[in-house]
Amino acid sequence: MNLNKKQLSKILNIEGPFLIIDNVINIIPFKSGTGIKKIKKNEWFFKCHLINNPLMPGTLQTEAMLQSIISVINFGKKHSLFLVTKSQTSFYSKINTSGIMNVDVVILRSNKGILEAKSTIYFNKKKTAQGKFNFIKPGIFKK
């Protein structure tokens, strides 16, 4: 199962340049999937981030991981809000040219509105970053 950019915008409730991912492929709902971003040499972030040595900011790579994860969680559903309660990211090399960014997602654990996921970014088939995230669905702990 796959999602295109228009479907992602609806699921994530994000549009414009902040919708990082172009599509998500090979989705197994609530288990795994792969976000895809075709990075072009004229991307907006290359024009304004570290002008003399442009690269894709780590925060946008992290956002790509989160968008891919939430797409796998929300596949086939109306937009559902999850809050990040913990994140840990590591970066191994720069994304500073055109190419294909794959964002592999695995949902590690899910129980009663609490979940844990990991994501790994490969840029032109080279591992460039990874992250581990904990989420909570708001309102699960009621007084």
Side-chain angles (χ1 to χ4, degrees), residues 44-95:
W44 66 271
F45 47 81
F46 287 152
K47 296 175 186 175
C48 57
H49 185 256
L50 300 176
I51 298 164
N52 295 325
N53 188 17
L55 57 91
M56 183 179 196
T59 55
L60 294 182
Q61 293 177 55
T62 301
E63 181 65 22
M65 289 186 238
L66 292 169
Q67 288 179 15
S68 298
I69 291 167
I70 295 300
S71 297
V72 167
I73 294 168
N74 281 337
F75 183 81
K77 300 177 186 175
K78 186 181 173 190
H79 171 75
S80 184
L81 182 65
F82 283 87
L83 301 175
V84 178
T85 59
K86 183 178 179 185
S87 67
Q88 179 181 357
T89 53
S90 299
F91 301 95
Y92 306 111
S93 62
K94 297 177 184 178
I95 296 177

Side-chain angles (χ1 to χ4, degrees), residues 27-28 54 62 80 89 94 121 137 140:
I27 298 170
I28 301 172
T62 301
S80 184
T89 53
K94 297 177 184 178
I121 292 179
K137 190 166 180 75
I140 65 164

Side-chain angles (χ1 to χ4, degrees), residues 13-65:
N13 202 24
I14 298 172
E15 59 183 30
F18 207 64
L19 180 55
I20 307 298
I21 297 300
D22 295 327
N23 54 13
V24 180
I25 62 171
N26 303 326
I27 298 170
I28 301 172
F30 234 87
K31 296 209 181 285
S32 63
T34 300
I36 307 289
K37 167 73 175 166
K38 184 176 181 183
I39 297 178
K40 301 169 193 94
K41 63 182 176 182
N42 64 344
E43 293 286 352
W44 66 271
F45 47 81
F46 287 152
K47 296 175 186 175
C48 57
H49 185 256
L50 300 176
I51 298 164
N52 295 325
N53 188 17
L55 57 91
M56 183 179 196
T59 55
L60 294 182
Q61 293 177 55
T62 301
E63 181 65 22
M65 289 186 238

